[in-house]
């Protein structure tokens, strides 16, 4: 059981989501090997789940802040992609059922994250996702957890979503490096069109990030290399077949996001 590792730099929201879906369809057609892609975002973007509504978000304010709004090919809920490392895994169902693949991917991520000195673990309990989706507070991905997600001290560190393409599973998700993802609340319309303060409180209470845990800055390169090594080790990947390299930290990952507080 092997995977190809693609380590790529930052790209815009539409390009990233198109790339992820294209990999899934290429694998489904037998054109590529099972693949893990590790990448960043520039400019920052909010991605929304396949069934979410764009009008839940303040599009003019997003444009003023220089933040993209893009729809993911997977389900799940909204994420502000800023200072993070994102992964995409496209794997055949011959490797396992979707739920097993979900667990395998998170085990690979866990190995990489722990190698950074982060005491991460897989949570065991599910929340009522139907009820979460029925509330405004359920708009952000990181407001809820499902079984086998990666947490530290009960707070979510990685958010993931999955979708089947024929006999292939696409799963992608975000490893949070800093707290910028919490600024999502600024762009969600609550009652009367004002930002939803409950979302900000929920993200603060339910999420954590690598920098907060380690008490130091964490670069895109450091985290991306750790995730790549986790996948390589888990899937017994031949290091000589790696594609690409990480040459620089994602631009703007640690700076203020168009006026947002870092």
């Amino acid at each position: 059981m092997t995977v190809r590792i693609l380590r790529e730099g930052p790209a815009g929201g539409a390009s990233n989501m198109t790339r992820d879906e294209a990999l899934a369809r290429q694998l489904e057609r037998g054109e590529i090997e099972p693949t893990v892609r590790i990448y960043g975002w520039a400019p920052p973007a909010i991605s929304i789940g396949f069934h979410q509504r764009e009008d839940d978000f303040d599009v003019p304010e997003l444009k003023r802040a220089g933040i993209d709004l893009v729809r993911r090919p997977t389900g799940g809920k909204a994420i502000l992609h800023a200072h993070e490392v994102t992964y995409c895994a496209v794997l055949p169902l011959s490797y396992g059922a979707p739920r097993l693949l979900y667990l395998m991917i998170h085990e690979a991520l866990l190995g990489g994250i722990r190698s950074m000195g982060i005491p991460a673990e897989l949570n065991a309990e599910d929340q009522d996702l139907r009820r979460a989706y029925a509330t405004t507070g359920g708009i952000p991905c990181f407001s809820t957890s499902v079984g086998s997600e990666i947490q530290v001290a009960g707070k979510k560190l990685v958010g993931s979503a999955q979708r089947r393409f024929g006999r292939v599973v696409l799963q992608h998700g975000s490893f949070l490096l800093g707290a910028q993802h919490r600024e999502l609340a600024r762009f969600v319309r609550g009652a009367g069109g004002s930002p939803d303060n409950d979302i900000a409180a929920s993200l603060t209470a339910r999420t954590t990030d690598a920098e907060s845990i380690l008490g130091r800055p964490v670069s895109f390169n450091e985290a991306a290399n750790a995730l790549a090594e986790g996948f390589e080790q888990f899937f017994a990947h031949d290091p000589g077949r790696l594609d690409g390299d990480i040459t620089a930290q994602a631009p703007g990952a640690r700076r203020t996001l168009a006026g947002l507080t870092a």
Side-chain angles (χ1 to χ4, degrees):
M1 183 183 295
T2 62
V3 297
R4 174 182 60 154
I5 309 294
L6 299 176
R7 297 188 290 183
E8 301 179 354
S15 294
N16 276 332
M17 295 301 92
T18 298
R19 177 89 165 111
D20 286 355
E21 182 169 348
L23 287 172
R25 296 191 182 281
Q26 287 170 341
L27 179 60
E28 201 274 335
R29 293 193 298 266
E31 297 171 357
I32 62 171
E33 299 173 275
T35 298
V36 172
R37 174 179 174 245
I38 297 171
Y39 61 93
W41 302 71
I46 290 176
S47 73
I48 61 176
F50 190 75
H51 299 292
Q52 278 190 291
R53 302 183 306 169
E54 290 188 8
D55 57 9
D56 284 332
F57 300 87
D58 188 338
V59 175
E61 183 62 20
L62 283 169
K63 290 181 179 178
R64 284 191 289 270
I67 296 175
D68 289 345
L69 180 65
V70 63
R71 188 176 300 279
R72 294 192 304 273
T74 54
K77 295 176 286 186
I79 305 173
L80 172 56
H81 303 278
H83 188 29
E84 68 171 56
V85 173
T86 307
Y87 77 89
C88 166
V90 292
L91 302 175
L93 287 171
S94 61
Y95 280 19
R99 185 63 182 173
L100 177 59
L101 293 179
Y102 186 91
L103 178 59
M104 290 167 57
I105 291 167
H106 275 207
E107 289 282 5
L109 290 167
L110 196 63
I113 290 169
R114 284 177 172 170
S115 74
M116 298 172 62
I118 296 174
E121 58 187 3
L122 300 181
N123 76 312
E125 297 182 0
D126 290 4
Q127 291 191 6
D128 184 345
L129 295 184
R130 288 177 180 251
R131 182 164 51 190
Y133 272 105
T135 66
T136 305
I139 287 174
C141 169
F142 283 90
S143 67
T144 55
S145 296
V146 296
S148 302
E149 284 193 332
I150 296 174
Q151 299 184 346
V152 173
K155 291 190 173 185
K156 194 169 178 178
L157 180 63
V158 177
S160 300
Q162 189 183 86
R163 178 182 167 188
R164 282 184 60 169
F165 289 83
R167 298 294 296 171
V168 167
V169 166
L170 161 63
Q171 182 173 315
H172 51 192
S174 300
F175 170 30
L176 299 176
L177 304 186
Q180 291 89 338
H181 66 285
R182 297 175 185 170
E183 296 293 337
L184 173 73
R186 171 178 163 183
F187 305 103
V188 176
R189 292 192 177 278
S194 62
D196 192 310
N197 293 326
D198 289 341
I199 289 176
S202 176
L203 289 173
T204 299
R206 295 178 180 273
T207 68
T208 189
D209 58 84
E211 292 188 354
S212 296
I213 296 163
L214 296 175
R216 63 172 177 82
V218 177
S219 73
F220 175 86
N221 273 359
E222 176 188 358
N225 284 328
L227 294 194
E229 289 172 6
F231 278 107
E232 291 163 21
Q233 292 178 11
F234 186 88
F235 288 99
H237 187 84
D238 178 359
R241 297 172 63 200
L242 288 177
D243 294 307
D245 191 20
I246 302 172
T247 57
Q249 179 176 337
R254 290 195 42 73
R255 72 170 186 265
T256 301
L257 303 179
L260 302 182
T261 302

